[in-house]
Every structure is written in structure tokens, then in C-alpha cells.
Amino acid sequence: MESKADVVIVGAGINGCALAYEVAKRGKDVVILEKNYIAYGATGRCGAGIRQQWSTKENAMLAKKSVEIFERLSDELGHDIGLRQGGYLIAIHDEDEMKQAKKNVEMQKSIGLPVRIIYEDEIKEIAPILNPEGMNAIAATFCPTDGHANPFKTTYAYAKSAERMGAKIYRFTEVKNIKTSDKKIEKVVTNKGEIKTEYVVNCAGAWSKEIAKMVGIEMPNKPVRKEALVTEPLKRIFDCMVISFKHGIYFSQQEEGQILGGIPSPEEKSGYYTEPTFSFLKHMSYMLGKYAPPLKYVNILRQWTGFYDVTPDALPILGKTEIEGFIQCNGFSGHGFMIAPMTARLLAQLICNEKMDMSIDRLSQNRFKEKIIKEKSVVG
Amino acid sequence: MKIVCRCEDITEEDIIKAIEEYGCETLAELKQLLRLGMGHCQGRTCLILTAKILARKTGKSLNEILPSFRPPAVAVEIGLIGGENGK
Ligand SMILES: Cc1cc2nc3c(=O)[nH]c(=O)nc-3n(C[C@H](O)[C@H](O)[C@H](O)COP(=O)(O)OP(=O)(O)OC[C@H]3O[C@@H](n4cnc5c(N)ncnc54)[C@H](O)[C@@H]3O)c2cc1C
Ligand code: FES
């Protein structure tokens, strides 16, 4: 293993790999340390949905800028990332939700998103499989440029391109400790040796809290267990992701034809317990039958669990800390895939002292000392 | 050409190429890269065969490589599990 590097990234999920690419592209020596294998964490377990319809401007901007990058990413990296832009259809169930939706749409339109409110006829036109009555929906919002990409292909595309630019990815290499002196990063200790470095970026997803502790930083993040399932592949029946904030459900038809989705499980707990549950399977199946009755006759092949790394306001924690050289890139609260391209670009600009495309000051951990504005548009 | 995963149509050559190109050491990585074992039988046919190929290529013992299975044990219909009233 290298004895030194300019930047050491902890975690080879979508965020670690995208950041390694952006930093290596700028000519720095980068090393990723991953205790398991690429995409072992939330990245390899996620729905990989890409949504720009958020209630806070920070999330909406990060997602919008990321979509602009996703749209050119297969070409830029020379690997197909399996991007499909079939839109996100977000159910509106009552007048309260309608009020919030109108507010969201106004803000989203102001930053240039092609989002609109649609009613029963158009819901059925966009996704004939849906039953608005069973969904209990009075309307929906729809943004046609939302979509999803293949999380494995995207992560490996970033990883391979980073390696091509000289980055090194060490798998099965666990970060055990981080040494500092005078509140400044000195070196990273792993089970396979030590690396001297100026920068450590904490891209450890649901384990970020533990990495931060190594330099004496307490984080408010909580790992929250989430479950998902996938069905047998079907011929193409609908293109959009369907979600509901009220029911917490999300599902879409993937590139290969399978239906993938999730919903908060009735017995959800925080912690690192990973067994899938029957109660999730039952609840999700029931709700799928309500939302899209023909799916009742489709077979489920597999269910699994993963973790959301949840912050008190459901916004990520990004940027510098009181330890010089220790950079945060975590707290993605269930939507860290979709904003990874822009997040990576911004943090690379920060590390390389370039002018930043947008400010991330409001996303630093310091915000929790003040009153926070919570992101309302969360699912799963 | 030897087919290893019948459900997802993956050959022994595909697997060896992935192991060599990406340095895969686990079944999980091959699943991610190739969709191996993600077909209708959920790898009950191909994962053991692939484990043997991995053991041969990486020099690891078969025990270190053996698969974990995600439930349900067999494909089940959504309507059958969800029922009419969620009870
Ligand atoms: C069921 C589910 C559905 C989701 N759906 C979506 C979605 O539709 N859209 C979306 O945008 N997001 C979704 N998410 C969220 C998304 O998956 C995550 O926000 C994102 O993948 C986070 O990526 P990451 O690279 O930051 O972290 P991770 O992918 O979690 O990677 C962290 C890595 O750090 C490694 N690590 C941890 N500790 C150490 C250590 N000490 N030393 C070395 N390595 C270490 C881990 O092994 C892991 O590989 C979903 C999540 C789940 C669980
Ligand atoms: S043979 Fe590989 S999944 Fe069935």
C-alpha cells in the first residue's frame, strides 16, 4: 500500500468513487480505502432513483446539477451507467399535501425544473398500471427529467475512470484510526498499514459517525434500517418512479424489467441489524396491490436491507470541519445516489482550492447549532 | 462456451473476464457486475458453480466464498402475500 497520498477517501460507495474520480481528474494522488468491496454499502442496495423534486432548494439544486452531469456521464466516463429518464410521479393525497406540493412546484420551477401538477386522467396516461383510487390520490406532481440509473454500473464506471486517472482503490482494507496533531490530519491507520495524508474524506455512509469519532467529532447522524424488494422481470409497462411521502412507498420498473421498491417497514428500528422481515414483505405487497393492482400477479424474487444515514434535517453534511483536512461527505438520508455527481464535483473544487459552482456553507455540520429547516420530501 | 447462469445467460468466460478485469474476490461483486445469481432461481443453480470458479482463480478456499441467500426462498406472488386488506 502507498505510504502517502494527497487525499484519502474512506468508503467506496457512489460518493467515494465519484469523488475519487473528480479529485484524480484534477491531478491529485487519491487513495480509496474500503473495508469490504465496491458498492457494499447503501449504494449496492439502493433504488438508484434520481429525483429533483425536493422541498429545500439545497437538495433540489444538488439534484438538478447532478442530473445535468448524469445525462453526459456515460460519454464522459466511457462506460454505460444505465440512465433512464422516465420521470418521478409523486402522489398527492389530500389538501394539506396539495398546499405543500404547490409551494414545492413553485420553488422547483424557479430553478428551471419542468415539473407540473397532474390529475387522474394524466396519471393513468403516464402509468396505466396505476389505480389513483387505490392510491388514495387526488393528484400528483410529475417531473419528466427525473429517473434512475444502474447503481452498480455507475459506481464501477466512476471507480474504473478514477483508476485510469491514477487513483488507487484498496478493497478489504478497513480504516481503524485517524491520527491528528494540532487539530490537523496526519495519517490514516488501516488493518493493512498506514498512509500519511493532508486530507481525509469521510464517505463511509451509515458508518460515518464512527469515522468522525476517530478525530473526535460527534455527528448527529443515525443509521436507519430500510428494506427493499424486487420482482421477476416483466415486459416494459411503465417508465416513471412512483412515490408517496404519506405512505413512504416508492417503486419503479428497472432497465431489465423487474419492479423494485420499498416502504418503511412497520417494525423499523435504528441500528445495524440486517435481517429482512416478513412484515415488510407483507406491507409492501399489500400497498403495491393498492397502487398497481396488476402487480398482484407478479412474483417477488428477492428482498434485502440497507441503511439510510439520516441527519436531523434530512440534508447531507458536506465540507470542512474543525479538524483541518477532515472533510465530511455523508448524512445523505436516503438520497445520496442521486446527488453524488454534483456533490463530488463541489468537494473536489473545495479540496483543490478552485472556485466552487455553488456554496455548500449551509450544509456544514455547524448548522445544527442553529435552527434547522427540515427537508419534507422524504420517502422509504 | 459453458453457460454457468442459465437464468441470466452468463458464461464461464464472462465470469473469468470479470474476475480478471475487476479483480473480483467475492460472489457479491460478480452479482453486481454481471447480474449473476439474480435470475428466477436466485442463484440456486449457478452460485455454487461460480464459487468453484472463484476458488480456482483466487486461490481462496470454497468455504470462504460460499453464497448467502436473500429471502424469499422461492418466488411468491405479490397478491398472495399482500392479501386484500393487509391483514
Ligand atoms: C433501500 C434503499 C433505497 C435507496 N434508494 C435511493 C434512491 O432511490 N435514490 C438515491 O439517491 N438514494 C437512495 N438510497 C440512498 C443511497 O443508497 C445512499 O445515500 C448512497 O448510496 C450513499 O452512498 P455513499 O457512497 O455515501 O455510502 P455507501 O454506499 O454506504 O458506502 C460507504 C462505504 O464505506 C465503507 N466503510 C464503512 N466503514 C469503513 C471503514 N472503517 N473503513 C473502510 N471503509 C469503510 C462501507 O463498507 C461502504 O462500502 C437508498 C438507500 C437504501 C438503503
Ligand atoms: S442460474 Fe443463475 S440465477 Fe438461476
Side-chain angles (χ1 to χ4, degrees):
Chain A
M1 188 155 75
E2 263 62 11
S3 62
K4 62 179 182 21
D6 296 330
V7 181
V8 171
I9 295 172
V10 188
I14 183 67
N15 282 291
C17 293
L19 181 61
Y21 166 74
E22 290 288 348
V23 173
K25 199 168 87 175
R26 289 167 169 78
K28 298 253 185 215
D29 282 338
V30 191
V31 168
I32 304 186
L33 304 173
E34 165 55 56
K35 73 172 169 186
N36 291 298
Y37 45 83
I38 293 174
Y40 161 83
T43 302
R45 298 153 194 272
C46 80
I50 302 170
R51 155 159 73 100
Q52 302 159 96
Q53 302 177 63
W54 290 94
S55 77
T56 57
K57 210 167 183 171
E58 286 87 357
N59 271 334
M61 277 307 286
L62 282 170
K64 176 172 184 278
K65 291 281 176 198
S66 292
V67 166
E68 289 166 15
I69 300 174
F70 274 125
E71 283 170 344
R72 292 180 317 245
L73 201 56
S74 295
D75 282 343
E76 180 175 342
L77 302 179
H79 292 269
D80 175 38
I81 62 159
L83 177 69
R84 293 180 57 94
Q85 286 171 289
Y88 255 66
L89 190 152
I90 306 178
I92 300 172
H93 300 283
D94 52 42
E95 286 311 321
D96 279 351
E97 280 202 337
M98 181 60 106
K99 237 191 254 159
Q100 182 65 38
K102 283 185 173 154
K103 237 165 96 183
N104 293 353
V105 167
E106 194 183 328
M107 180 276 288
Q108 291 155 2
K109 277 188 165 160
S110 77
I111 64 166
L113 291 174
V115 48
R116 63 181 195 273
I117 293 179
I118 58 175
Y119 296 90
E120 185 169 347
D121 289 350
E122 212 182 335
I123 293 176
K124 284 196 191 141
E125 203 175 296
I126 289 170
I129 192 170
L130 292 179
N131 174 14
E133 202 185 313
M135 293 164 70
N136 245 323
I138 55 171
T141 62
F142 186 70
C143 176
T145 54
D146 289 346
H148 67 258
N150 180 311
F152 308 123
K153 288 185 181 172
T154 310
T155 310
Y156 275 97
Y158 267 126
K160 275 274 150 195
S161 306
E163 285 180 323
R164 215 174 39 241
M165 309 265 170
K168 296 276 186 331
I169 303 177
Y170 292 99
R171 294 166 308 144
F172 307 104
T173 305
E174 184 173 354
V175 173
K176 295 282 194 188
N177 203 355
I178 300 168
K179 294 261 163 73
T180 55
S181 74
D182 275 345
K183 296 209 154 231
K184 199 169 172 239
I185 292 289
E186 209 171 41
K187 64 182 175 188
V188 180
V189 182
T190 78
N191 59 340
K192 304 224 172 122
E194 300 185 349
I195 309 183
K196 280 209 173 72
T197 185
E198 249 178 88
Y199 286 100
V200 172
V201 191
N202 184 2
C203 296
W207 299 270
S208 305
K209 220 181 148 104
E210 280 149 44
I211 301 297
K213 245 189 220 140
M214 295 175 186
V215 295
I217 295 178
E218 286 296 329
M219 299 191 70
N221 310 26
K222 264 205 207 112
V224 179
R225 201 174 81 91
K226 294 289 168 180
E227 300 193 52
L229 61 73
V230 72
T231 70
E232 60 195 334
L234 310 170
K235 77 169 194 357
R236 176 125 319 263
I237 36 183
F238 63 110
D239 289 316
C240 61
M241 175 83 89
V242 179
I243 70 174
S244 154
F245 301 135
K246 185 169 180 188
H247 298 141
I249 192 172
Y250 67 92
F251 62 96
S252 71
Q253 188 173 20
Q254 303 279 294
E255 203 183 357
E256 296 87 0
Q258 65 281 41
I259 311 292
L260 187 153
I263 198 164
S265 135
E267 44 190 288
E268 201 161 90
K269 292 186 195 89
S270 142
Y272 293 106
Y273 165 79
T274 59
E275 274 313 288
T277 64
F278 185 70
S279 66
F280 160 76
L281 199 61
K282 211 169 143 75
H283 185 45
M284 181 68 188
S285 299
Y286 171 67
M287 291 304 280
L288 274 177
K290 286 277 173 207
Y291 271 66
L295 292 184
K296 281 187 190 168
Y297 306 101
V298 173
N299 283 308
I300 297 164
L301 290 190
R302 179 165 79 244
Q303 67 174 121
W304 64 90
T305 57
F307 296 100
Y308 279 13
D309 172 27
V310 179
T311 61
D313 58 1
L315 282 158
I317 296 178
L318 303 179
K320 295 186 175 165
T321 59
E322 64 261 31
I323 301 295
E324 194 182 331
F326 189 77
I327 309 280
Q328 301 282 22
C329 176
N330 50 61
F332 289 102
S333 308
H335 54 279
F337 178 80
M338 63 183 80
I339 60 176
M342 188 59 184
T343 303
R345 179 169 294 178
L346 290 168
L347 290 182
Q349 290 169 343
L350 179 77
I351 290 169
C352 300
N353 289 319
E354 289 175 16
K355 184 174 175 305
M356 293 176 62
D357 291 346
M358 68 186 248
S359 161
I360 54 169
D361 293 349
R362 293 190 50 193
L363 295 174
S364 99
Q365 194 179 325
N366 289 335
R367 71 178 183 270
F368 298 111
K369 291 176 188 153
E370 291 147 32
K371 192 167 173 294
I372 53 175
I373 300 167
K374 197 168 159 44
E375 171 60 64
K376 294 189 183 74
S377 305
V378 282
V379 287
Chain B
M1 193 176 73
K2 267 198 244 165
I3 301 278
V4 175
C5 179
R6 285 180 290 178
C7 299
E8 295 285 327
D9 204 13
I10 298 162
T11 66
E12 181 167 11
E13 288 89 282
D14 294 332
I15 294 169
I16 291 178
K17 190 167 162 254
I19 295 174
E20 287 172 355
E21 195 174 326
Y22 289 91
C24 298
E25 294 177 38
T26 58
L27 285 173
E29 290 164 284
L30 290 169
K31 279 170 123 173
Q32 294 184 346
L33 281 164
L34 302 173
R35 296 193 53 73
L36 176 105
M38 289 172 143
H40 203 274
C41 84
Q42 286 298 292
R44 276 162 183 86
T45 327
C46 59
L47 287 181
I48 304 288
L49 287 172
T50 310
K52 288 186 180 154
I53 301 174
L54 257 177
R56 195 175 76 222
K57 294 289 292 180
T58 61
K60 287 190 179 178
S61 77
L62 203 53
N63 269 339
E64 285 176 81
I65 298 175
L66 284 178
S68 67
F69 288 103
R70 284 177 170 178
V74 291
V76 286
E77 241 179 46
I78 288 177
L80 209 62
I81 295 236
E84 285 306 320
N85 51 17
K87 290 282 139 18

